[in-house]
Amino acid sequence: MEWLAEMDYSILAGPDIAHEGEYPERDSYQDVVLDERLKDALKRINPNMPMNAIELAIQKIAANESSSLILNNEKFHRMVTEGLDIELQGSDGYNPTEKVWLFDFEHPENNDFVAVNQFTITEGSQNKRPDVLIFVNGLPLVVIELKNATNEATGISEGYNQLQTYKQAIPSLFRYNAFLVTSDGVNARVGSLTANEERFMKWRTIEGLELAPTSLSQLEVLLKGMLEPSRLMDILRNFILFQTDGENTYKILAAYHQFHAVNKAVEKAKVAVQGDHKIGVVWHTQGSGKSLSMVFFAGKLIQAMNNPTIVVLTDRNDLDDQLFNTFSISKSILRQTPSQANSRDELRQLLSVESGGIIFTTLQKFSPDEDTGIMPCLTDRSNVIVMADEAHRSQYGFGATIRGNDAETKYGFAKYVRDALPNASFAGFTGTPVEATDKNTPAVFGEYIDIYDMTQAVEDGSTVKIFYESRIIPLDLPSDLRLDDEYEEITEDQEQSVKERLKSKWSRLEALAGAESRIKRLAEDVVNHYEERQQAMFGKSMVVVMSRRIAIDLYKEITALRPEWHSDDDDKGVIKIVMTGASSDPVEWQKFIGNKKRREYLAKRMKDNEDPLQIVIVRDMWLTGFDVPAMNTMYIDKPMKGHNLMQAIARVNRVFKDKPGGLIVDYIGIAESLKEALHQYTESDKNTAGVDSSVVVNILLEKYEVLIEILYGHDYSGYLSDKATVRMNAIISTMDFVLGLGEEEKKRFLTTVTELSKAFALCATTLEAQELNAEIGFFKAVKASLVKSIGDCSKKKTNAQMEARINQLISRSVISEEVVDIYESLGLENPDISILSDKFLEDVKAMPHKNLAVELLNRLLNGKVKSVQRTNLIKARKFSDMLEGALNKYNKRAIETSKVIEELIALAKEIDGAYKRGEQTGLVKEEIAFYDALASHETAEQVLGDDTLKLIAHELSKSIKANMSIDWNLRESARAKMRVTVKRLLKKYGYPPDLQKEAVETVVKQAELMAQLEFELNI
């Protein structure tokens, strides 16, 4: 709250501004908008609007038009960015329509910024209380959920889960939401209304000039980086968009690198239009949202530069289609529908406007006139901005070359684009760095505006590392045939004619790579490697080959080995080929050739994690701009170099659940090309891409040695037994051994197994990993059982991601088909937390694994003490002290483990007795709690006697319940009133005056705990 106050936010307490509070700003707990603040802001921002128009605007803001939360949120966002059209009453029968604006974007200080904590909301039968809400002009734009930094069991995942619960329970709050924040005091993440947990990201900079030092709290950086008034207004207006795939609508919030890069680029554009027309180059590594950065840039340019014409250039038809699709489904932020120019005439026609328009075209449309060799001027307007995707390819050059028998002079496309658009300004976007020797790119576009490299993306969790594994199947190359730069030239230019591509050298190499014996070996290796990888972790795969012929032959070999993977239907089958073709291609190829619609359908299947389609074979389709987060392996059997190679391998760097990294499997020898391509990258990037899998094997062996050292002296060889009971016993006895090592060593064991599992998932197919497979499976089973199964039954132990990981690891492990149920394995019934039966306690006492027994009792009793605390503060304090005392002795090894077990069992029985006391005394649960609070002093019991204390407890319970209203325990005035009520009652019955003060505090504290319990039962 102090950080927000520093940025001129007003800080308010939810209970104070409730309708029952001291400074009410709401009529009821159902209200999520602060109406008076909204009305005042609308009058201030729209000073010429009559009051009835303001009232009408407020009605429109509050109206829900759909049962869908996300559609209501999208409608509200349109009101924010486009203003509200309000029809005014005219005097002469003409009713003009005027805009009412909700926020003053030009003057952020003219808006009203408020942070409220503990803001209780009632919807239906649900009561919820988000930690902090950010209101701007009375509208709740940001929800912040904070978890306790000192509690190891809760983190940002639990905060994320809590936000999802709020969305279900109090959807009215989220109609106005811009974004959501979750923090555990150490970590902080931000995401949109529809973002899954992986897409809740860090915000790593405040001003955008440099990354914040790690010494600064992530929450401080996020709040100051996003909620500073001018930045929040900018994000709200220019950096949120909605997309739909026809079925679902998704809300997208820009990441910090996109926000700052776009703002820098817009400022550069304003200068370039008046000067040298070079805006600059944005290098944002593949997978980090480069296409969306281009959309945000176009959206903000339209606002900042009075609607210029934007020309989006690509150098390939398939890229043009992909990018055009991204812009088309984001048209609300662009405030217009993009167009695609399919010919030069169409391009000229689209450019013949005064301003506006977003036009997509390929470089090849800028070809000179065939007769004159001159490129005509298409428009000489200066309000034209050219955005080039992958702005560093060789085609963007200026240089002249002499071609053909008639020595015709051909220039690079950059010259022709400049001739066609002489006064346009140029911005380049690239996912790979501009090569040091490349003089064309700076000449056309200017210098770098912003760099977001692979290392930063991996650190942010925007992408994962890429690992490299060599499985080369040699080519029998004749002496005159080498893999040299000529191949790069042949494969680079995708929109050129077929004749250009089928040069003789490439054909000869393709014949060798596609030899029948080699394809057979390749098919066998891909199948085995893929299946071994699937055992370690779920993921989809792509195979890249040199030609369509090889793709088809490989498909046939793979499906001969695994016939069940094949299907003639597009909606079935595990493996497919994605390629283009023509009716002139051989008849047997036709069933593999697909049109654009078929490719889009297969892409949809590939992106669906539940769909059986797991493997695609491609030649050059889908190697750029194709996103399948679950894709974790790329098998490469095609020579590639430079940015083409870097773009291709980035298909496996997308973030997905607990995917530790992507793997490139090399069959043709691209290692040197990879090293060469990486020369252009930042130093840190060289350690992030193409990391040799032998590095991971070393990590695997190192972590394995650490585990062997931790388990020194313990025999767990039973895990190899054929008998399930012996295997189970090995898990149980190892858990007992680990628990006996103490808390620190237990943590080290759990951490090391996690690291071992991640390393194994990345190198599961290596010989070393295979040798340790069974043992690693065993370690994972022990870890999963330690983490999940010894529960206190009071709450969920692990977040969904952790659960998914454990289930995935264990279900595939050689040891056990599922996470071990400790109770069942030990022959115990799974206990009911509220009643620990004598039989259960005796069974625990008789357990041979004493450390496990202590851990089991500790967890169960901890859960019981917590539940007692809610209803009986005095008893809980006593039980908590007893439990702590027993465990301290155990941890210091001051007494035998069996003695600790006896003490814990005695405590369990006493707690159980406390549950049953109500039946014996004739008091209900709440009355017993107050009775214990009053009788905790012997003097009081001696003076008043048992019956009088019971009578006071009964009356207290009745009168406290009568005085309880929502949030009374959070309002000081209500708490003071409660104290007065308690004091009067104690006085009435002659409770000893010297003990009254303490008794009042204890009773009120007990009542607050009950109110909290009541609230949480509603959660």
Side-chain angles (χ1 to χ4, degrees), residues 142 154 387 420 527 608 724 758 891 993:
V142 183
T154 60
M387 288 165 60
V527 168
D608 180 355
K758 283 189 170 183
N891 288 330

Side-chain angles (χ1 to χ4, degrees), residues 535-668:
Q535 282 176 18
M537 64 174 165
F538 166 79
K540 300 205 173 195
S541 300
M542 180 183 272
V543 187
V544 185
V545 294
M546 281 184 69
S547 68
R548 295 180 301 154
R549 177 187 75 84
I550 292 177
I552 292 166
D553 289 350
L554 181 62
Y555 178 90
K556 287 175 178 171
E557 288 297 338
I558 288 175
T559 49
L561 294 168
R562 296 289 180 273
E564 66 278 12
W565 289 4
H566 166 77
S567 173
D568 286 328
D569 294 341
D570 281 347
D571 55 356
K572 295 189 184 113
V574 174
I575 184 169
K576 295 287 176 195
I577 298 175
V578 178
M579 67 184 211
T580 53
S583 49
S584 56
D585 286 320
V587 175
E588 62 272 22
W589 288 19
Q590 294 302 324
K591 63 180 176 184
F592 299 109
I593 292 168
N595 58 16
K596 190 172 167 184
K597 198 172 172 187
R598 176 180 184 263
R599 289 197 298 278
E600 282 170 359
Y601 179 68
L602 290 179
K604 195 173 177 185
R605 281 193 64 194
M606 199 65 182
K607 289 174 186 186
D608 180 355
N609 299 330
E610 305 302 317
D611 193 289
L613 179 60
Q614 303 286 323
I615 307 169
V616 286
I617 303 174
V618 302
R619 182 194 59 175
D620 45 34
M621 301 301 294
W622 291 3
L623 291 183
T624 52
F626 180 67
D627 256 355
V628 174
M631 191 180 290
N632 63 0
T633 315
M634 177 178 275
Y635 300 97
I636 296 182
D637 192 41
K638 169 185 177 179
M640 288 190 281
K641 289 191 173 189
H643 54 259
N644 279 347
L645 173 59
M646 296 310 293
Q647 282 180 310
I649 68 174
R651 297 314 102 211
V652 296
N653 77 352
R654 304 315 196 246
V655 173
F656 175 72
K657 293 187 178 173
D658 54 347
K659 171 174 152 185
L663 183 66
I664 299 301
V665 180
D666 175 14
Y667 286 111
I668 202 151

Side-chain angles (χ1 to χ4, degrees), residues 344 368-374 408:
R344 196 194 308 157
D369 185 284
E370 283 184 15
D371 299 331
T372 64
I374 294 169
E408 182 192 356

Side-chain angles (χ1 to χ4, degrees), residues 478 480-481 487 503-513:
D480 66 332
L481 196 59
Y487 295 108
K503 295 229 176 140
S504 61
K505 273 192 173 183
W506 184 258
S507 305
R508 287 172 67 195
L509 182 63
E510 189 270 351
L512 292 164

Side-chain angles (χ1 to χ4, degrees), residues 463-515:
T463 61
V464 296
K465 274 191 179 185
I466 301 173
F467 294 84
Y468 169 87
E469 181 179 343
S470 173
R471 297 176 80 87
I472 292 173
I473 301 175
L475 291 167
D476 189 13
L477 286 177
S479 56
D480 66 332
L481 196 59
R482 288 180 302 116
L483 298 183
D484 56 26
D485 292 341
E486 286 177 51
Y487 295 108
E488 185 63 12
E489 285 171 22
I490 296 161
T491 53
E492 174 109 351
D493 212 343
Q494 297 297 338
E495 216 192 19
Q496 297 301 312
S497 67
V498 175
K499 280 181 289 187
E500 284 291 307
R501 259 188 270 132
L502 291 180
K503 295 229 176 140
S504 61
K505 273 192 173 183
W506 184 258
S507 305
R508 287 172 67 195
L509 182 63
E510 189 270 351
L512 292 164

Side-chain angles (χ1 to χ4, degrees), residues 785-1010:
S785 303
L786 276 170
V787 169
K788 187 168 181 290
S789 291
I790 309 176
D792 61 8
C793 309
S794 65
K795 63 178 175 23
K796 205 171 108 186
K797 312 308 170 301
T798 50
N799 63 33
Q801 203 172 0
M802 187 80 167
E803 195 114 340
R805 182 182 299 169
I806 289 169
N807 289 343
Q808 188 180 325
L809 294 173
I810 300 307
S811 65
R812 299 213 170 95
S813 96
V814 272
I815 300 302
S816 155
E817 284 303 301
E818 56 194 38
V819 175
V820 181
D821 182 331
I822 295 300
Y823 302 112
E824 199 179 307
S825 309
L826 297 171
L828 304 172
E829 283 180 30
N830 204 331
D832 178 346
I833 187 71
S834 61
I835 314 144
L836 293 180
S837 69
D838 288 348
K839 180 184 178 304
F840 176 77
L841 293 172
E842 286 305 315
D843 288 348
V844 171
K845 194 174 174 182
M847 279 170 60
H849 305 295
K850 299 301 179 197
N851 295 312
L852 201 49
V854 172
E855 182 72 8
L856 207 56
L857 284 167
N858 173 24
R859 296 280 184 102
L860 289 168
L861 291 176
N862 230 321
K864 278 189 83 76
V865 169
K866 274 183 193 162
S867 64
V868 169
Q869 189 177 31
R870 300 292 173 73
T871 53
N872 197 321
L873 189 63
I874 298 296
K875 279 281 181 277
R877 281 178 190 160
K878 179 187 168 190
F879 295 151
S880 190
D881 290 346
M882 288 169 71
L883 180 60
E884 210 172 300
L887 288 171
N888 276 343
K889 285 186 242 175
Y890 168 70
N891 288 330
K892 290 173 183 165
R893 303 296 187 262
I895 55 173
E896 286 179 25
T897 310
S898 53
K899 285 269 186 260
V900 177
I901 291 170
E902 279 177 22
E903 278 191 31
L904 292 175
I905 285 174
L907 174 57
K909 287 181 174 171
E910 193 172 335
I911 294 176
D912 224 30
Y915 268 99
K916 292 172 183 160
R917 260 180 69 223
E919 298 162 20
Q920 295 149 13
T921 57
L923 297 172
V924 297
K925 192 165 60 178
E926 290 89 348
E927 293 170 352
I928 283 183
F930 292 128
Y931 174 88
D932 284 341
L934 297 169
S936 57
H937 287 281
E938 283 179 36
T939 326
E941 201 167 359
Q942 286 162 9
V943 172
L944 294 172
D946 192 51
D947 289 343
T948 307
L949 285 177
K950 281 184 186 172
L951 194 59
I952 302 175
H954 177 68
E955 277 211 40
L956 266 177
S957 179
K958 212 161 104 183
S959 109
I960 282 172
K961 275 186 179 171
N963 278 295
M964 277 187 179
S965 59
I966 289 179
D967 277 0
W968 74 267
N969 53 319
L970 300 176
R971 291 199 309 277
E972 190 45 53
S973 57
R975 286 211 302 272
K977 191 178 164 195
M978 192 69 85
R979 278 193 205 94
V980 171
T981 307
V982 176
K983 213 180 275 182
R984 278 186 192 148
L985 257 173
L986 295 181
K987 224 176 200 171
K988 177 181 164 186
Y989 284 98
Y991 195 86
D994 56 326
L995 302 176
Q996 272 186 26
K997 190 167 187 249
E998 197 180 331
V1000 168
E1001 288 307 318
T1002 309
V1003 167
V1004 171
K1005 184 76 185 139
Q1006 180 65 63
E1008 284 177 10
L1009 283 168
M1010 286 175 177

Side-chain angles (χ1 to χ4, degrees), residues 130-154:
D131 289 326
V132 180
L133 293 181
I134 300 296
F135 289 87
V136 182
N137 298 346
L139 296 164
L141 296 186
V142 183
V143 181
I144 303 173
E145 189 62 21
L146 303 170
K147 290 297 167 194
N148 190 342
T150 57
N151 185 347
E152 282 185 31
T154 60

Side-chain angles (χ1 to χ4, degrees), residues 14 17 26 31 116-121 128-130 133 135:
I17 61 168
R26 311 164 70 188
D31 293 345
V116 184
N117 63 355
Q118 304 290 298
F119 188 92
T120 297
I121 298 162
K128 297 285 174 226
R129 194 187 299 136
L133 293 181
F135 289 87

